[in-house]
Structure formats: C-alpha cells, structure tokens
Amino acid sequence: MKLIVPLIGLGCLSAGLWGEQASDVTVIISGGARGHLSPCGCTKPMSGGLMRLATLIRQYKKSGNVVWIDAGDITAEPGRQSQLKAETYSETLGDLQVDAVAYTSSDQRQGMGLLTAGTSLSRAKWISDTPDPINMTVRESTTQGLSISTANTQGQSVGLERPSDILLFDGRESEYTSGRIEHKLIVTNTDGIPTVAGNRVSPGSNLRGVVIAKFHNGEFVSARVELLPAEVKEDPRAKSIYDNYLHRVTEEKLIERVLRESKEVYIGSKNCMNCHGKIAEQYSHTKHATAYQTLVKEKHGADPDCLPCHVVGLNSTNGFVYQRTPSLAQVGCESCHGPGQDHARWPKKFKLPKVTNEKCITCHTPSNSPNFNFQSYWKKIKH
Ligand code: HEC
Ligand code: HEC
Ligand code: HEC
Ligand code: HEC
C-alpha cells in the first residue's frame, strides 16, 4: 500500500535559507522499532522489520540523491537484551550509511551505554541525543543541505529561532504545539503503520514501514508512506548482523535472567499422558506439541522475547529452565489446564479448572494470532 499525500499549507519562508539546493532530494524517515527489530513470524506472511528496511534503503540509495534520517526510539524497556538490540540496530544503520540519527528520551533512559554504542556503531554523519529536557535546548544541524532539528515535549515551546526543514519531535503527535515557528516537516511518534497528514509525519512503530518525502527547490512537495510487506526480501548483510544478535542472546544466556514471579509447580505433559493416553495421542499431532522446536528452527530457542508462549511456565521458579527441562518445552497440557501436580497424584480429589477462551488469548494475542477465533481454533485441537 502506498499513500500519496501532497503537502499543502507549508510555510514559504524557506527558499532563502537553503535556496541554492536545486536538485530533488528523497528523504527517508525511519524509526520507532520499540524493541521489534524483526517480526516474530507467529503468523505468516511476516512483514516489516530491520532486514526488509535494509533492502528498501539500499534500493533507494542506488537510485539517486537520498537523505536517510532515523528517528530513534529503538527499544521499549531497559536491560541487557535492549542494549543488544540497540547495538544491532545501530550497526545495521552504520552498514547502510545512515545520514542522521536522533535518539529519543526513551532511548536515553535505556542508559548511556546505548547512546555510546549507538553513536560509534551507526557512524551517522549527524547524531542527536535527545534535547536536554532541563535546559530546554534544541539542536540543529544540516545534512546535505537539509536543516534538521530536534525538540522534545519540554523544549518545543522554546524552539529554534528559525524554521528548519525537518523537526524531529520526541513526543506524541498530540503533544506537539507549533509555537512561533512552523517547521517544514514535523516528525512525531505514533503507534502502528507510518502516517502522513499534511506536514506531520511519523514512521509509526515496530518497523512496519517508512515515510518517503520529496524535497524540491527548498520545499517538501510530497510525502507518502511506504510499507515493508512480506514480498520485500530480507537484506543478507542486515540478516547476518541480526543473526549475530540472536547468537549473543543465546551465548549470554539471557533466558536464565528472566523474572519469575510465580512458584507454581509444573510436572510436564508426559506425566499427564500416563493416565490420559487417548488425549495424549491426539495432542501429539497438534502444533502445540512442537512449539519449542519451531523456535529452535528459527534460531530463537533461547530468546526471552519468544519463550513465554512457546514453553510451559517460564514465569515460575518451578517452570521451564533452558536446556534443563525438556519435559516443559512446547505448549503443554499445563499451559492450558494449569499446574497439575496435585491432580496427577489425587485426580479424584483435585480437579482442574475448565479451560476457556480467556486462557487461549494470553498467547493467541491479536498481534501474534490475528485470525484467532475460539470455535474454529478449538476444533483443530479438540479432545
Ligand atoms: C504472546 C505469545 C507469543 C510470543 C511472545 C511469541 N509467539 Fe510465536 N506464536 C504464538 C502463537 C499463538 C502462535 C500460533 C499463531 C496462529 O497460528 O494463529 C505462534 C506461532 C509461531 C510460529 C509458527 C508460524 C507458522 O505459521 O508456522 C513461529 C515461527 C513463531 N511463533 C515464532 C516466534 C518467535 C520467533 C517469537 C519471538 C520473537 C515468538 N514466536 C513469540 C504466540 C507467541
Ligand atoms: C502458552 C501459550 C498458548 C496457549 C495458552 C494456547 N496456545 Fe495455541 N498455540 C500456541 C503456539 C506457540 C502455537 C504455534 C505453535 C507452532 O506452530 O509451533 C499455537 C498454535 C495453535 C493452533 C494451531 C494453529 C494452526 O494454524 O494450525 C491452534 C489451533 C491453537 N493454537 C489453538 C489454541 C486454543 C483453542 C487455545 C485455548 C484453548 C490455545 N491454542 C492456547 C500457544 C498457545
Ligand atoms: C494418575 C492418573 C492421572 C494423571 C497423572 C492425570 N490425570 Fe487428569 N484425570 C484423571 C482422572 C481419573 C480424571 C477423572 C476425574 C473424575 O472424573 O473425577 C481426570 C480428569 C482430568 C480433567 C478433567 C477435569 C477434572 O479435573 O476432572 C483434566 C482437565 C485433566 N484430568 C487433566 C490432566 C492434566 C493436565 C494432567 C497432567 C498435569 C493430568 N490430568 C494428570 C487421572 C489423571
Ligand atoms: C491449547 C490448550 C489445551 C492443551 C494444550 C490441552 N488441553 Fe485439555 N482441554 C482444553 C480445553 C479447552 C478443554 C475443554 C474445556 C475443559 O474441559 O476445560 C480440555 C479438556 C480436557 C479434558 C477433559 C475432557 C472431557 O472429556 O471432559 C482432559 C482430561 C484434558 N483436556 C486433558 C489434557 C491433557 C492430558 C493434555 C496434554 C496431553 C491437554 N489436555 C492439553 C485445552 C487444552
């Protein structure tokens, strides 16, 4: 899908500042990964992600005068895995020769390590750490004749003394107030696919696509959304950087550091099968019975982002432990029926609660399983 929206009602102050710029520039705006470097692939076909973004960038870079600006917002939460993601993201940006990167306050909260690594790895010609919220400074720079500035929710009203070609606003669309100066193109944060509305654009979230804007004779003449559908091939070099990320996640055994808040005891499906032979036979032919192998095949077998829904009891101190509890790998009987130790010992005395749709949708979420419907799905695994 491509949305083409002409930019109207833009200030006409511009030409004076960068008027010499005669040729067309294609400006690509990406960002907003928020921890989703690659789609999980729970439902095929997969779209979006850093490896498809890389393919798109390389294609555009071959075809003329391109300025690529990344608006940051790389990770969603602090921690070692986020740091590895930030490094992976930045390294890919560096490999693709990004022109400018603006880290957001959210990126800054993930720690200086992220910014230091990001700065050196992305090798961007221009980097802005987020505008200083206390002193309300706003930073400006030029990249290939385009003036780029950043502002955040605190600093926006102070603003620059003159309009810039692109303002990267570190905040939600609803938080932006233009103040005295009307910048030519304003990039804000939104959820979902990228958006273009007049001179307000956003790369959206989870790397679903980018915004492509045309800059001609000192003015933006158009802006549109370009999505990254499944047909876009994954860039091999970006893929090898990403594979290295997965390798590090595995090597560093991040899966052993997950927070376990429950103490429920899980005994594993094999123990249930002794008494429920017929159901066991039926279960063994469902996809639940191989859900962990699915992750291993995709190199995500030790990825804390994936295991919660593909094994039994990752949130419990008595649940799945990496490489030590093969009986708790896969979506097991207890993933749906709950911990069954007491029931297995005294089945007449301890009954297990009824399983309803509520249980299914803890894993079959709208983003992981968009086609989920209890009736039709239960039919496939009924016992
Ligand atoms: C919130 C729960 C959840 C998380 C987290 C999760 N998955 Fe899944 N995954 C599912 C569900 C549910 C399905 C089955 C979806 C369907 O068929 O409707 C699935 C299916 C899959 C499949 C099979 C797709 C197919 O068509 O054969 C793959 C591959 C997969 N997931 C990979 C991953 C990876 C990789 C991650 C981590 C990056 C991950 N999953 C994280 C719930 C999850
Ligand atoms: C602990 C997480 C979890 C729970 C709870 C769960 N599922 Fe799943 N389900 C998965 C995962 C993961 C897959 C994909 C496994 C794979 O392909 O490797 C899946 C796959 C399926 C599939 C196969 C989809 C296909 O296209 O063949 C069906 C059907 C299904 N689930 C139905 C259900 C129903 C019905 C419930 C509730 C009664 C339920 N699931 C509860 C995680 C879960
Ligand atoms: C020692 C044999 C035995 C084991 C082991 C066992 N069950 Fe059962 N299960 C039974 C019997 C017998 C019933 C029927 C109880 C009744 O009708 O009062 C039953 C009933 C059930 C029911 C229906 C609801 C209920 O509680 O009556 C579910 C669900 C169930 N079992 C799941 C499991 C799961 C999951 C496991 C493994 C964690 C498991 N069972 C292990 C013997 C066993
Ligand atoms: C994807 C979720 C899911 C998984 C995995 C699952 N069940 Fe069930 N099971 C259900 C649902 C839903 C029902 C029907 C509602 C109920 O009785 O709670 C059910 C019903 C049952 C019943 C009662 C059947 C009856 O006739 O009353 C038993 C016994 C049972 N399951 C045992 C098992 C055993 C043993 C396993 C593992 C080999 C298993 N289940 C795996 C969801 C699941």
Side-chain angles (χ1 to χ4, degrees):
M1 181 171 62
K2 285 181 185 172
L3 306 169
I4 307 210
V5 181
L7 289 173
I8 38 164
L10 290 177
C12 36
L13 231 164
S14 60
L17 284 176
W18 315 106
E20 312 79 302
Q21 186 76 24
S23 56
D24 282 359
V25 182
T26 301
V27 178
I28 305 177
I29 297 161
S30 59
R34 298 195 205 154
H36 293 87
L37 300 193
S38 173
C40 75
C42 295
T43 298
K44 308 235 158 46
M46 318 185 236
S47 62
L50 190 53
M51 295 174 264
R52 290 191 175 83
L53 174 66
T55 299
L56 178 135
I57 298 287
R58 279 199 221 283
Q59 272 165 5
Y60 271 95
K61 287 214 162 193
K62 263 190 241 154
S63 69
N65 204 4
V66 170
V67 171
W68 173 27
I69 301 165
D70 190 85
D73 208 3
I74 302 163
T75 57
E77 56 202 28
R80 181 62 185 156
Q81 191 165 9
S82 287
Q83 181 131 31
L84 294 181
K85 284 178 186 173
E87 289 178 19
T88 304
Y89 192 80
S90 302
E91 191 181 340
T92 310
L93 261 52
D95 188 60
L96 292 158
Q97 296 179 305
V98 69
D99 293 290
V101 180
Y103 291 108
T104 63
S105 48
S106 163
D107 291 326
Q108 205 171 47
R109 277 197 299 277
Q110 315 313 326
M112 282 315 289
L114 186 161
L115 292 182
T116 311
T119 305
S120 61
L121 288 168
S122 73
R123 291 182 276 158
K125 296 176 195 103
W126 180 77
I127 303 240
S128 165
D129 47 8
T130 192
D132 183 338
I134 295 155
N135 298 315
M136 296 202 276
T137 53
V138 183
R139 298 179 190 207
E140 189 189 31
S141 178
T142 61
T143 299
Q144 296 187 28
L146 278 152
S147 64
I148 309 171
S149 60
T150 57
N152 66 11
T153 49
Q154 282 93 354
Q156 59 174 320
S157 54
V158 176
L160 293 159
E161 291 311 308
R162 56 179 187 187
S164 46
D165 293 323
I166 301 173
L167 175 74
L168 297 160
F169 176 63
D170 176 13
R172 301 262 145 190
E173 168 64 29
S174 58
E175 292 168 315
Y176 183 75
T177 49
S178 60
R180 288 178 294 127
I181 296 166
E182 195 51 50
H183 302 278
K184 290 184 195 168
L185 195 72
I186 298 150
V187 182
T188 65
N189 295 340
T190 56
D191 297 324
I193 61 166
T195 53
V196 172
N199 69 341
R200 302 290 175 81
V201 304
S202 167
S205 61
N206 300 8
L207 303 181
R208 293 174 168 109
V210 296
V211 170
I212 309 272
K214 289 274 179 217
F215 195 67
H216 175 75
N217 283 340
E219 290 295 340
F220 280 101
V221 291
S222 72
R224 63 182 172 83
V225 168
E226 185 157 336
L227 297 178
L228 296 165
E231 297 77 59
V232 176
K233 289 218 164 54
E234 298 189 334
D235 178 77
R237 283 174 58 170
K239 181 152 179 16
S240 96
I241 296 171
Y242 185 75
D243 282 348
N244 186 45
Y245 154 77
L246 290 180
H247 182 71
R248 291 171 79 190
V249 167
T250 308
E251 282 292 291
E252 292 192 18
K253 294 200 158 67
L254 298 187
I255 192 63
E256 291 181 358
R257 298 197 213 166
V258 295
L259 200 64
R260 295 177 187 262
E261 285 166 326
S262 139
K263 290 199 160 46
E264 307 270 35
V265 178
Y266 293 94
I267 60 170
S269 304
K270 273 215 180 80
N271 283 308
C272 316
M273 292 174 180
N274 296 333
C275 299
H276 296 286
K278 220 175 127 213
I279 291 173
E281 159 65 16
Q282 196 277 342
Y283 159 85
S284 69
H285 299 297
T286 69
K287 289 199 176 173
H288 287 142
T290 50
Y292 184 66
Q293 267 94 307
T294 299
L295 289 185
V296 173
K297 259 186 250 150
E298 309 255 332
K299 301 188 188 154
H300 285 273
D303 186 347
D305 278 354
C306 311
L307 268 67
C309 304
H310 286 252
V311 301
V312 179
L314 187 68
N315 67 341
S316 168
T317 47
N318 298 304
F320 176 86
V321 180
Y322 182 59
Q323 290 181 331
R324 295 222 298 273
T325 56
S327 65
L328 298 178
Q330 330 304 351
V331 176
C333 313
E334 292 165 293
S335 296
C336 291
H337 290 287
Q341 189 175 47
D342 290 343
H343 166 81
R345 271 191 208 147
W346 305 285
K348 297 281 173 194
K349 193 168 162 213
F350 292 96
K351 305 234 165 211
L352 292 170
K354 232 179 156 49
V355 181
T356 63
N357 178 52
E358 301 315 306
K359 193 75 200 183
C360 313
I361 60 174
T362 57
C363 300
H364 288 265
T365 63
S367 57
N368 296 290
S369 185
N371 307 320
F372 184 77
N373 165 288
F374 184 81
Q375 257 70 34
S376 63
Y377 268 60
W378 175 236
K379 215 186 271 167
K380 291 193 204 174
I381 59 160
K382 202 169 161 130
H383 53 259

